[in-house]
Amino acid sequence: MSDWHSRPLEQVMKELDSRPSGLTERESAQRLERLGPNQLEPPRKPSVLARVLGQLKDPMILVLLGAAALSLAASGGEDWLDGAIILIIVLVNGVISITQEDHAQQALEELRRMSSPQAHVLREGRAKKISAAALVPGDVILLEAGDMVPADARVMECSRLQADESAMTGESVPVEKGAHDRLPEEAALGDRTNMVLSGTMITAGRGTALVVATGMDTQMGRIANLLLEDKEGDTPLQRKMGEISKSLSFLCLSVCAVMFGVGLIQGKNMLDMFLTAVSLAVAAIPEGLPAIVTIVLALGVQRMAARGAIVKKLPAVETLGCASVICSDKTGTLTQNRMTVQELWTPAGGHRRDALLAGCLCSDARLEWKAGAPTAVGDPTEGALVVAAAREGVDQEKEEQNWPRTADLPFDSGRKLMSTIHAREDGSWTVFVKGAPDILLERCVAGPRGPLSAQDRRAVLEANEAMAQKALRVIAVARRELHILPPGLEPRAVESGLTFLGLFGLMDPPRPEVKAAVARCHLAGVRPVMITGDHRATAAAVARELDIIRPGEWTVTGGELDFMPQEVLEEDIEKFAVFARVTPEHKMRIVKAWQKRGHVVAMTGDGVNDAPALKTADIGCAMGVAGTDVAKGAAHMILTDDNFSTIVSAIEEGRGIYSNIRKAIHYLLSCNIGEIFTIFAATLLDFGQMPLVPVQLLWLNLVTDSLPALALGVEPVEEGVMEEKPRDAAAGLFDQKFSFRLAWQGLMVGGLTLAAYFLGFTRLAAPGMEGAVANTMAFATLTLCQLFHAFNVRSEDRSLFAQGALSNPAMNRAFLVGMALQLSVLLVPPLQGVFAVTAMDSAQWLAVFGLAAAPIPICEITKALGRKGERGEREERSAVREKAKR
Ligand code: ATP
């Protein structure tokens, strides 16, 4: 049914068997049971079989299977074992990739669940927060600015409610909503102003609404199948890996083709040569690279979530490692958002009670008594006022009976004011206003209770300044009597001609862990910047306490920004450490100015108006606790604890993840280069036989690739990542140093394998066994060498032993599994047959292990030399600096 808008509210209420106080828990549980959760059905997933077959679509695998079939046919069916093994290995490989994909998918789903939407609902007359999935038709929901509408609902009552319905109707201007009793049945979706639609956003005001449809029955559910699925785009790194993988495949194929050609010229068996070439291609093409990058990213994202940062979009993980500025809100992010009133100042002739009354009436926080002490639930700033009033005997509940509230103008950080309107017995109204002192003062006039001469005005500003200097957040209160309410309750009209009542100084202590986090930022070359709606002096005092503002850095206010052309802001942006009294609109300019100077900006936000800046920032961070759904929707990352230091930890993880991905790539490519080099050199040198047969090459791919590369991907974050400058976002992955390292280490792996082959052929084999022994030794060395080499890659420049040789349990496991698999092939007779290896004697084993472990000392020595060189360079640089200073 979709004519909910055209029937009287009462009838709708009756039909849904509901009432203004909401459903009972029992009713809602029964309806949930009957109608199912309020969710869109996810698209169906392809079956496992379809996905395994999908893996076989890879052209290289098809060629390989074709080649195997061909060789099977050519051998007259005798060599069926080889073909079967190839098939099995290919299938096992397919299953491994699918498991990995599933793993990554699960990790991402888990994250999605964590950031699943919530709804405020009235059940049995009590407001509570529940998962939006648990809503049922008949529920009464409470909506306020910043909420995502969780289900289709009929507006019951509202104040200045507006919704952005562009997601449903394409209309980009927010629609004014009202509790109109009936609308024409034929009204188009966008004109049903007494309805709010699931998936749209409340941009202003507040209201209550009656849920009429949930899940697939909502308007959103109807078009769900038409909507393009919100498919995660690839991250830049994933894209780059895809490209690299492609060009490397091309390179690999060319090498294989050349090898095949040379083999033919040398008169080798064409089919053998072809099978070897294709097997090499399959083994050496880093087809798993993009998948590994995805898994490492997804696992990293899980680790970040454990530390309180939920990354919504994978690319943010990479960007985090490049972040060079964090623009952070003050209240709740740098501070605890636990406010207590420390001081109350009233003007000459004013009364404390009047100020306290205004503070507790112009507030949505509720007073609660706990163990005889007043506490409050709701906005901490307002809570502090309510508690302060209670402490001095002004009880909110009692006063509200004397001063029934008839309307309100909610606080918004643009206006920096909030007002409540209360009916008086004589038919007039009293307006209580509270807000930022400098702004509220502009709206005050001389009045009977607090005449405000120029002198008084100065006194207020001085008191304000004195409190702010002590890092207190200052709230001013005022009132006004009205006989007629201004039309439409226009804020400008309501909040003028006010009588000043007093100033509250609120203390909000910094979060204890923030100071250390700020220090880590400075060390890591990341600039912490404070952006706050609070007063300049308050902001500066807190910033000084936290070491955010340092000598030579400035504070600037939103008012000053209004007079500053964007070019000037861009020019000077690096001088500013604190932006005070800004509105969300300024945030956008600030982000853009930093970006213009080449910075990668992380920016926090919580309100509806923060959304554009969050989107524009390189890493928009929404508050998980205090943030609105709109901010969360626009952000790249959600901070579950609203804490500044969580951003810093996320940056650290981001750097760690990037470096781990680099390690996984380093490992895979250097090993692949080793494999190609071995076979290619053997072909050119014309050994008469290949050092490795096709099954061995494929096996190698299975044993040495995925597990160690994944283990490198979960390396603990290396010490010292937060002592380097942020990575340049534009710099490529393959700098000269990295490419050089890949190349020589590949040659090392290949060289050691060839050495094993030679040793076997010329020295260690019994007569007549040369070929078989040399082949076995080369196969064993190449595999084990890669397993050992994985340990070297754990750090680019630190010694493995300084790092703790066994400090990555995943790597230890990968090594043991690889070793066990390889040893069983080398030692268990039936497997020896399958993989064409012969039993080795102790001298041969010794040679194999000696050569396979050789990369460890070799790399240790080169790392030590590198460190020495760097130390020399560093010393040289600092000597030059010293000289320059002198
Ligand atoms: P941040 O951006 O760091 O979170 P903030 O929370 O201090 O800063 P706003 O919420 O925009 O910034 O508040 C700005 C000013 O508005 C405060 O300094 C205070 O004077 C006033 N203010 C804050 N909350 C309220 C409220 N609930 N009612 C009335 N005035 C308020």
mmCIF file of all heavy atoms in Angstrom, residues 328-333 339 362 379 381-382 385 411-418 434-438 473-476 530-535 581-584 587 606 610, ligand 1:
data_model
loop_
_atom_site.group_PDB
_atom_site.id
_atom_site.type_symbol
_atom_site.label_atom_id
_atom_site.label_comp_id
_atom_site.label_asym_id
_atom_site.label_seq_id
_atom_site.Cartn_x
_atom_site.Cartn_y
_atom_site.Cartn_z
ATOM 1 N N SER A 328 41.359 18.777 13.319
ATOM 2 C CA SER A 328 40.495 18.104 14.279
ATOM 3 C C SER A 328 39.579 19.080 14.995
ATOM 4 O O SER A 328 39.979 20.183 15.346
ATOM 5 C CB SER A 328 41.372 17.382 15.296
ATOM 6 O OG SER A 328 40.589 16.913 16.353
ATOM 7 N N ASP A 329 38.336 18.635 15.228
ATOM 8 C CA ASP A 329 37.438 19.385 16.105
ATOM 9 C C ASP A 329 38.039 19.386 17.492
ATOM 10 O O ASP A 329 38.855 18.532 17.810
ATOM 11 C CB ASP A 329 36.091 18.665 16.221
ATOM 12 C CG ASP A 329 35.235 18.868 14.999
ATOM 13 O OD1 ASP A 329 35.470 19.853 14.295
ATOM 14 O OD2 ASP A 329 34.345 18.037 14.758
ATOM 15 N N LYS A 330 37.595 20.308 18.301
ATOM 16 C CA LYS A 330 38.104 20.322 19.677
ATOM 17 C C LYS A 330 37.231 19.472 20.586
ATOM 18 O O LYS A 330 37.683 18.475 21.127
ATOM 19 C CB LYS A 330 38.161 21.759 20.197
ATOM 20 C CG LYS A 330 38.535 21.824 21.665
ATOM 21 C CD LYS A 330 38.657 23.252 22.150
ATOM 22 C CE LYS A 330 37.314 23.980 22.245
ATOM 23 N NZ LYS A 330 36.470 23.509 23.344
ATOM 24 N N THR A 331 35.947 19.912 20.696
ATOM 25 C CA THR A 331 35.097 19.349 21.731
ATOM 26 C C THR A 331 34.822 17.878 21.477
ATOM 27 O O THR A 331 34.284 17.511 20.444
ATOM 28 C CB THR A 331 33.779 20.134 21.803
ATOM 29 O OG1 THR A 331 34.116 21.510 21.861
ATOM 30 C CG2 THR A 331 32.983 19.752 23.026
ATOM 31 N N GLY A 332 35.225 17.040 22.415
ATOM 32 C CA GLY A 332 34.943 15.619 22.300
ATOM 33 C C GLY A 332 36.021 14.850 21.573
ATOM 34 O O GLY A 332 36.134 13.642 21.732
ATOM 35 N N THR A 333 36.812 15.526 20.739
ATOM 36 C CA THR A 333 37.835 14.821 19.981
ATOM 37 C C THR A 333 39.188 15.027 20.659
ATOM 38 O O THR A 333 39.926 14.084 20.930
ATOM 39 C CB THR A 333 37.879 15.349 18.537
ATOM 40 O OG1 THR A 333 36.552 15.403 18.052
ATOM 41 C CG2 THR A 333 38.710 14.455 17.661
ATOM 42 N N MET A 339 31.549 18.102 30.499
ATOM 43 C CA MET A 339 31.551 19.499 30.916
ATOM 44 C C MET A 339 31.036 19.646 32.341
ATOM 45 O O MET A 339 30.077 18.976 32.731
ATOM 46 C CB MET A 339 30.621 20.305 30.018
ATOM 47 C CG MET A 339 30.809 20.005 28.569
ATOM 48 S SD MET A 339 31.759 21.296 27.811
ATOM 49 C CE MET A 339 31.795 20.673 26.157
ATOM 50 N N CYS A 362 16.374 26.190 28.710
ATOM 51 C CA CYS A 362 16.769 26.229 27.287
ATOM 52 C C CYS A 362 17.739 25.075 27.051
ATOM 53 O O CYS A 362 18.903 25.275 26.729
ATOM 54 C CB CYS A 362 17.424 27.564 26.970
ATOM 55 S SG CYS A 362 17.852 27.721 25.251
ATOM 56 N N ASP A 379 23.173 16.292 25.488
ATOM 57 C CA ASP A 379 24.334 17.077 25.102
ATOM 58 C C ASP A 379 25.115 17.525 26.342
ATOM 59 O O ASP A 379 24.536 18.109 27.266
ATOM 60 C CB ASP A 379 23.837 18.292 24.313
ATOM 61 C CG ASP A 379 24.980 19.214 23.959
ATOM 62 O OD1 ASP A 379 25.918 18.739 23.304
ATOM 63 O OD2 ASP A 379 24.943 20.408 24.353
ATOM 64 N N THR A 381 27.222 19.917 27.005
ATOM 65 C CA THR A 381 27.205 21.343 27.336
ATOM 66 C C THR A 381 25.914 21.678 28.082
ATOM 67 O O THR A 381 25.929 22.328 29.127
ATOM 68 C CB THR A 381 27.259 22.181 26.045
ATOM 69 O OG1 THR A 381 28.412 21.788 25.312
ATOM 70 C CG2 THR A 381 27.330 23.659 26.339
ATOM 71 N N GLU A 382 24.814 21.197 27.537
ATOM 72 C CA GLU A 382 23.522 21.476 28.159
ATOM 73 C C GLU A 382 23.404 20.758 29.486
ATOM 74 O O GLU A 382 22.870 21.303 30.466
ATOM 75 C CB GLU A 382 22.397 21.069 27.208
ATOM 76 C CG GLU A 382 22.495 21.809 25.890
ATOM 77 C CD GLU A 382 21.307 21.595 24.975
ATOM 78 O OE1 GLU A 382 20.563 20.631 25.194
ATOM 79 O OE2 GLU A 382 21.149 22.402 24.045
ATOM 80 N N LEU A 385 24.787 22.648 32.369
ATOM 81 C CA LEU A 385 23.943 23.754 32.839
ATOM 82 C C LEU A 385 22.807 23.228 33.717
ATOM 83 O O LEU A 385 22.486 23.808 34.753
ATOM 84 C CB LEU A 385 23.361 24.520 31.649
ATOM 85 C CG LEU A 385 24.368 25.110 30.662
ATOM 86 C CD1 LEU A 385 23.649 25.938 29.600
ATOM 87 C CD2 LEU A 385 25.394 25.972 31.386
ATOM 88 N N PHE A 411 19.830 24.210 18.482
ATOM 89 C CA PHE A 411 21.176 24.772 18.319
ATOM 90 C C PHE A 411 21.729 24.360 16.964
ATOM 91 O O PHE A 411 21.510 23.238 16.522
ATOM 92 C CB PHE A 411 22.090 24.215 19.413
ATOM 93 C CG PHE A 411 23.533 24.615 19.253
ATOM 94 C CD1 PHE A 411 23.940 25.901 19.569
ATOM 95 C CD2 PHE A 411 24.476 23.712 18.759
ATOM 96 C CE1 PHE A 411 25.265 26.281 19.410
ATOM 97 C CE2 PHE A 411 25.795 24.104 18.589
ATOM 98 C CZ PHE A 411 26.186 25.387 18.920
ATOM 99 N N ASP A 412 22.375 25.266 16.288
ATOM 100 C CA ASP A 412 23.200 24.807 15.165
ATOM 101 C C ASP A 412 24.491 25.591 15.162
ATOM 102 O O ASP A 412 24.548 26.734 15.614
ATOM 103 C CB ASP A 412 22.436 24.802 13.829
ATOM 104 C CG ASP A 412 22.438 26.121 13.123
ATOM 105 O OD1 ASP A 412 23.533 26.569 12.753
ATOM 106 O OD2 ASP A 412 21.340 26.693 12.956
ATOM 107 N N SER A 413 25.551 24.907 14.686
ATOM 108 C CA SER A 413 26.874 25.480 14.901
ATOM 109 C C SER A 413 27.137 26.637 13.951
ATOM 110 O O SER A 413 28.132 27.331 14.079
ATOM 111 C CB SER A 413 27.955 24.412 14.809
ATOM 112 O OG SER A 413 27.642 23.505 13.801
ATOM 113 N N GLY A 414 26.217 26.896 13.014
ATOM 114 C CA GLY A 414 26.344 28.083 12.180
ATOM 115 C C GLY A 414 25.878 29.305 12.961
ATOM 116 O O GLY A 414 26.582 30.314 13.046
ATOM 117 N N ARG A 415 24.672 29.187 13.588
ATOM 118 C CA ARG A 415 24.094 30.298 14.340
ATOM 119 C C ARG A 415 24.740 30.440 15.709
ATOM 120 O O ARG A 415 24.823 31.503 16.277
ATOM 121 C CB ARG A 415 22.599 29.987 14.527
ATOM 122 C CG ARG A 415 21.665 31.052 14.137
ATOM 123 C CD ARG A 415 20.244 30.486 14.081
ATOM 124 N NE ARG A 415 19.621 30.271 15.374
ATOM 125 C CZ ARG A 415 19.265 29.100 15.894
ATOM 126 N NH1 ARG A 415 19.511 27.986 15.239
ATOM 127 N NH2 ARG A 415 18.671 29.009 17.053
ATOM 128 N N LYS A 416 25.138 29.320 16.259
ATOM 129 C CA LYS A 416 25.744 29.235 17.581
ATOM 130 C C LYS A 416 24.801 29.684 18.692
ATOM 131 O O LYS A 416 25.228 30.183 19.736
ATOM 132 C CB LYS A 416 27.071 29.997 17.643
ATOM 133 C CG LYS A 416 28.127 29.418 16.712
ATOM 134 C CD LYS A 416 29.499 29.878 17.020
ATOM 135 C CE LYS A 416 30.609 29.210 16.229
ATOM 136 N NZ LYS A 416 30.318 28.536 15.014
ATOM 137 N N LEU A 417 23.505 29.544 18.446
ATOM 138 C CA LEU A 417 22.505 29.909 19.445
ATOM 139 C C LEU A 417 21.439 28.818 19.497
ATOM 140 O O LEU A 417 21.268 28.055 18.538
ATOM 141 C CB LEU A 417 21.809 31.219 19.057
ATOM 142 C CG LEU A 417 22.642 32.496 19.010
ATOM 143 C CD1 LEU A 417 21.780 33.639 18.495
ATOM 144 C CD2 LEU A 417 23.220 32.838 20.373
ATOM 145 N N MET A 418 20.728 28.782 20.642
ATOM 146 C CA MET A 418 19.548 27.925 20.744
ATOM 147 C C MET A 418 18.495 28.674 21.538
ATOM 148 O O MET A 418 18.827 29.422 22.456
ATOM 149 C CB MET A 418 19.912 26.640 21.481
ATOM 150 C CG MET A 418 18.711 25.877 21.990
ATOM 151 S SD MET A 418 19.168 24.280 22.665
ATOM 152 C CE MET A 418 17.572 23.742 23.276
ATOM 153 N N LYS A 434 20.279 30.675 24.610
ATOM 154 C CA LYS A 434 21.647 30.519 25.099
ATOM 155 C C LYS A 434 22.562 30.305 23.904
ATOM 156 O O LYS A 434 22.117 29.886 22.825
ATOM 157 C CB LYS A 434 21.750 29.370 26.088
ATOM 158 C CG LYS A 434 21.691 27.992 25.506
ATOM 159 C CD LYS A 434 21.884 26.988 26.631
ATOM 160 C CE LYS A 434 22.121 25.581 26.136
ATOM 161 N NZ LYS A 434 21.277 25.081 25.078
ATOM 162 N N GLY A 435 23.851 30.622 24.081
ATOM 163 C CA GLY A 435 24.770 30.445 22.968
ATOM 164 C C GLY A 435 26.099 31.133 23.201
ATOM 165 O O GLY A 435 26.422 31.536 24.326
ATOM 166 N N ALA A 436 26.862 31.265 22.109
ATOM 167 C CA ALA A 436 28.196 31.859 22.191
ATOM 168 C C ALA A 436 28.057 33.328 22.617
ATOM 169 O O ALA A 436 27.284 34.074 22.017
ATOM 170 C CB ALA A 436 28.870 31.762 20.837
ATOM 171 N N PRO A 437 28.800 33.750 23.660
ATOM 172 C CA PRO A 437 28.604 35.081 24.233
ATOM 173 C C PRO A 437 28.738 36.218 23.214
ATOM 174 O O PRO A 437 27.893 37.113 23.180
ATOM 175 C CB PRO A 437 29.723 35.189 25.275
ATOM 176 C CG PRO A 437 30.079 33.795 25.594
ATOM 177 C CD PRO A 437 29.798 32.973 24.396
ATOM 178 N N ASP A 438 29.772 36.171 22.381
ATOM 179 C CA ASP A 438 29.989 37.273 21.449
ATOM 180 C C ASP A 438 28.811 37.432 20.498
ATOM 181 O O ASP A 438 28.437 38.535 20.114
ATOM 182 C CB ASP A 438 31.305 37.084 20.676
ATOM 183 C CG ASP A 438 31.643 35.630 20.446
ATOM 184 O OD1 ASP A 438 31.099 34.776 21.178
ATOM 185 O OD2 ASP A 438 32.424 35.331 19.539
ATOM 186 N N ARG A 473 34.941 26.910 28.355
ATOM 187 C CA ARG A 473 34.024 27.142 27.237
ATOM 188 C C ARG A 473 32.908 27.997 27.815
ATOM 189 O O ARG A 473 32.331 27.663 28.850
ATOM 190 C CB ARG A 473 33.523 25.776 26.806
ATOM 191 C CG ARG A 473 32.420 25.726 25.810
ATOM 192 C CD ARG A 473 32.106 24.241 25.684
ATOM 193 N NE ARG A 473 31.038 23.922 24.791
ATOM 194 C CZ ARG A 473 31.189 23.731 23.481
ATOM 195 N NH1 ARG A 473 32.360 23.885 22.932
ATOM 196 N NH2 ARG A 473 30.167 23.382 22.745
ATOM 197 N N VAL A 474 32.602 29.104 27.152
ATOM 198 C CA VAL A 474 31.660 30.035 27.766
ATOM 199 C C VAL A 474 30.322 30.011 27.032
ATOM 200 O O VAL A 474 30.260 30.056 25.807
ATOM 201 C CB VAL A 474 32.227 31.475 27.763
ATOM 202 C CG1 VAL A 474 31.389 32.368 28.666
ATOM 203 C CG2 VAL A 474 33.681 31.482 28.223
ATOM 204 N N ILE A 475 29.253 29.937 27.826
ATOM 205 C CA ILE A 475 27.894 29.983 27.278
ATOM 206 C C ILE A 475 27.180 31.170 27.911
ATOM 207 O O ILE A 475 27.212 31.318 29.136
ATOM 208 C CB ILE A 475 27.108 28.709 27.653
ATOM 209 C CG1 ILE A 475 27.815 27.456 27.152
ATOM 210 C CG2 ILE A 475 25.678 28.781 27.145
ATOM 211 C CD1 ILE A 475 27.531 27.108 25.739
ATOM 212 N N ALA A 476 26.560 31.985 27.070
ATOM 213 C CA ALA A 476 25.800 33.114 27.604
ATOM 214 C C ALA A 476 24.316 32.768 27.572
ATOM 215 O O ALA A 476 23.877 31.987 26.717
ATOM 216 C CB ALA A 476 26.067 34.347 26.752
ATOM 217 N N MET A 530 43.717 22.558 15.036
ATOM 218 C CA MET A 530 42.426 22.554 15.720
ATOM 219 C C MET A 530 41.425 23.422 14.970
ATOM 220 O O MET A 530 41.730 24.554 14.610
ATOM 221 C CB MET A 530 42.611 23.093 17.139
ATOM 222 C CG MET A 530 41.324 23.171 17.934
ATOM 223 S SD MET A 530 41.522 24.144 19.440
ATOM 224 C CE MET A 530 42.332 22.983 20.496
ATOM 225 N N ILE A 531 40.240 22.871 14.726
ATOM 226 C CA ILE A 531 39.173 23.664 14.116
ATOM 227 C C ILE A 531 38.002 23.606 15.067
ATOM 228 O O ILE A 531 37.513 22.519 15.372
ATOM 229 C CB ILE A 531 38.753 23.086 12.764
ATOM 230 C CG1 ILE A 531 39.955 23.068 11.832
ATOM 231 C CG2 ILE A 531 37.617 23.887 12.171
ATOM 232 C CD1 ILE A 531 39.612 22.713 10.419
ATOM 233 N N THR A 532 37.562 24.728 15.561
ATOM 234 C CA THR A 532 36.530 24.666 16.582
ATOM 235 C C THR A 532 35.544 25.818 16.475
ATOM 236 O O THR A 532 35.869 26.881 15.954
ATOM 237 C CB THR A 532 37.173 24.663 17.986
ATOM 238 O OG1 THR A 532 36.153 24.714 18.970
ATOM 239 C CG2 THR A 532 38.101 25.848 18.180
ATOM 240 N N GLY A 533 34.348 25.559 16.977
ATOM 241 C CA GLY A 533 33.340 26.607 17.016
ATOM 242 C C GLY A 533 33.533 27.465 18.248
ATOM 243 O O GLY A 533 32.877 28.497 18.415
ATOM 244 N N ASP A 534 34.433 27.029 19.105
ATOM 245 C CA ASP A 534 34.595 27.718 20.379
ATOM 246 C C ASP A 534 35.351 29.035 20.216
ATOM 247 O O ASP A 534 35.932 29.321 19.170
ATOM 248 C CB ASP A 534 35.336 26.795 21.349
ATOM 249 C CG ASP A 534 34.691 26.818 22.717
ATOM 250 O OD1 ASP A 534 34.101 27.870 23.051
ATOM 251 O OD2 ASP A 534 34.765 25.821 23.434
ATOM 252 N N HIS A 535 35.353 29.813 21.315
ATOM 253 C CA HIS A 535 35.997 31.128 21.357
ATOM 254 C C HIS A 535 37.516 31.008 21.161
ATOM 255 O O HIS A 535 38.123 30.025 21.556
ATOM 256 C CB HIS A 535 35.692 31.728 22.732
ATOM 257 C CG HIS A 535 36.092 33.152 22.862
ATOM 258 N ND1 HIS A 535 37.342 33.524 23.289
ATOM 259 C CD2 HIS A 535 35.415 34.292 22.631
ATOM 260 C CE1 HIS A 535 37.407 34.843 23.316
ATOM 261 N NE2 HIS A 535 36.258 35.331 22.911
ATOM 262 N N ARG A 581 36.000 29.823 16.400
ATOM 263 C CA ARG A 581 34.711 30.402 16.018
ATOM 264 C C ARG A 581 34.424 30.219 14.527
ATOM 265 O O ARG A 581 33.947 31.138 13.862
ATOM 266 C CB ARG A 581 34.685 31.903 16.310
ATOM 267 C CG ARG A 581 34.284 32.256 17.695
ATOM 268 C CD ARG A 581 32.818 32.026 17.997
ATOM 269 N NE ARG A 581 32.500 32.489 19.334
ATOM 270 C CZ ARG A 581 32.365 31.719 20.405
ATOM 271 N NH1 ARG A 581 32.525 30.401 20.305
ATOM 272 N NH2 ARG A 581 32.065 32.231 21.579
ATOM 273 N N VAL A 582 34.738 29.040 14.037
ATOM 274 C CA VAL A 582 34.440 28.813 12.628
ATOM 275 C C VAL A 582 33.094 28.130 12.509
ATOM 276 O O VAL A 582 32.618 27.492 13.451
ATOM 277 C CB VAL A 582 35.504 27.930 11.940
ATOM 278 C CG1 VAL A 582 36.809 28.653 11.810
ATOM 279 C CG2 VAL A 582 35.679 26.627 12.678
ATOM 280 N N THR A 583 32.478 28.256 11.370
ATOM 281 C CA THR A 583 31.260 27.516 11.074
ATOM 282 C C THR A 583 31.671 26.382 10.131
ATOM 283 O O THR A 583 32.750 26.440 9.532
ATOM 284 C CB THR A 583 30.235 28.413 10.360
ATOM 285 O OG1 THR A 583 30.856 28.882 9.159
ATOM 286 C CG2 THR A 583 29.823 29.591 11.201
ATOM 287 N N PRO A 584 30.828 25.363 9.998
ATOM 288 C CA PRO A 584 31.189 24.249 9.124
ATOM 289 C C PRO A 584 31.553 24.719 7.709
ATOM 290 O O PRO A 584 32.377 24.095 7.043
ATOM 291 C CB PRO A 584 29.938 23.389 9.121
ATOM 292 C CG PRO A 584 29.295 23.655 10.434
ATOM 293 C CD PRO A 584 29.564 25.092 10.719
ATOM 294 N N LYS A 587 35.126 25.161 7.093
ATOM 295 C CA LYS A 587 35.959 23.957 7.062
ATOM 296 C C LYS A 587 36.370 23.600 5.635
ATOM 297 O O LYS A 587 37.472 23.175 5.369
ATOM 298 C CB LYS A 587 35.196 22.777 7.664
ATOM 299 C CG LYS A 587 35.141 22.799 9.167
ATOM 300 C CD LYS A 587 34.559 21.488 9.659
ATOM 301 C CE LYS A 587 34.798 21.320 11.159
ATOM 302 N NZ LYS A 587 34.248 20.047 11.644
ATOM 303 N N ASP A 606 31.120 16.151 12.589
ATOM 304 C CA ASP A 606 30.009 15.374 13.130
ATOM 305 C C ASP A 606 28.640 15.819 12.619
ATOM 306 O O ASP A 606 27.719 15.032 12.539
ATOM 307 C CB ASP A 606 30.029 15.402 14.668
ATOM 308 C CG ASP A 606 30.215 16.810 15.213
ATOM 309 O OD1 ASP A 606 30.044 17.766 14.434
ATOM 310 O OD2 ASP A 606 30.514 16.963 16.414
ATOM 311 N N ASP A 610 28.893 19.497 8.131
ATOM 312 C CA ASP A 610 30.289 19.083 7.966
ATOM 313 C C ASP A 610 30.459 18.170 6.748
ATOM 314 O O ASP A 610 31.573 17.936 6.296
ATOM 315 C CB ASP A 610 30.773 18.326 9.208
ATOM 316 C CG ASP A 610 30.965 19.246 10.390
ATOM 317 O OD1 ASP A 610 31.182 20.443 10.163
ATOM 318 O OD2 ASP A 610 30.900 18.771 11.542
HETATM 319 P P1 ATP B 1 34.101 21.702 17.915
HETATM 320 O O1 ATP B 1 33.890 22.129 16.505
HETATM 321 O O2 ATP B 1 35.491 21.701 18.367
HETATM 322 O O3 ATP B 1 33.320 20.515 18.334
HETATM 323 P P2 ATP B 1 32.377 23.242 19.510
HETATM 324 O O4 ATP B 1 31.584 22.051 19.818
HETATM 325 O O5 ATP B 1 32.896 24.043 20.643
HETATM 326 O O6 ATP B 1 33.598 22.986 18.672
HETATM 327 P P3 ATP B 1 30.109 24.406 18.386
HETATM 328 O O7 ATP B 1 29.340 23.226 18.802
HETATM 329 O O8 ATP B 1 29.919 25.008 17.064
HETATM 330 O O9 ATP B 1 31.609 24.163 18.517
HETATM 331 O O10 ATP B 1 29.882 25.498 19.498
HETATM 332 C C1 ATP B 1 30.265 26.820 19.316
HETATM 333 C C2 ATP B 1 29.816 27.679 20.459
HETATM 334 O O11 ATP B 1 28.416 27.609 20.571
HETATM 335 C C3 ATP B 1 30.367 27.249 21.806
HETATM 336 O O12 ATP B 1 31.553 27.917 22.101
HETATM 337 C C4 ATP B 1 29.267 27.634 22.740
HETATM 338 O O13 ATP B 1 29.440 28.961 23.181
HETATM 339 C C5 ATP B 1 28.015 27.574 21.921
HETATM 340 N N1 ATP B 1 27.283 26.323 22.153
HETATM 341 C C6 ATP B 1 27.724 25.066 22.079
HETATM 342 N N2 ATP B 1 26.763 24.184 22.333
HETATM 343 C C7 ATP B 1 25.649 24.891 22.569
HETATM 344 C C8 ATP B 1 24.286 24.565 22.879
HETATM 345 N N3 ATP B 1 23.876 23.321 23.005
HETATM 346 N N4 ATP B 1 23.423 25.577 23.052
HETATM 347 C C9 ATP B 1 23.810 26.829 22.918
HETATM 348 N N5 ATP B 1 25.047 27.215 22.624
HETATM 349 C C10 ATP B 1 25.977 26.262 22.455
#
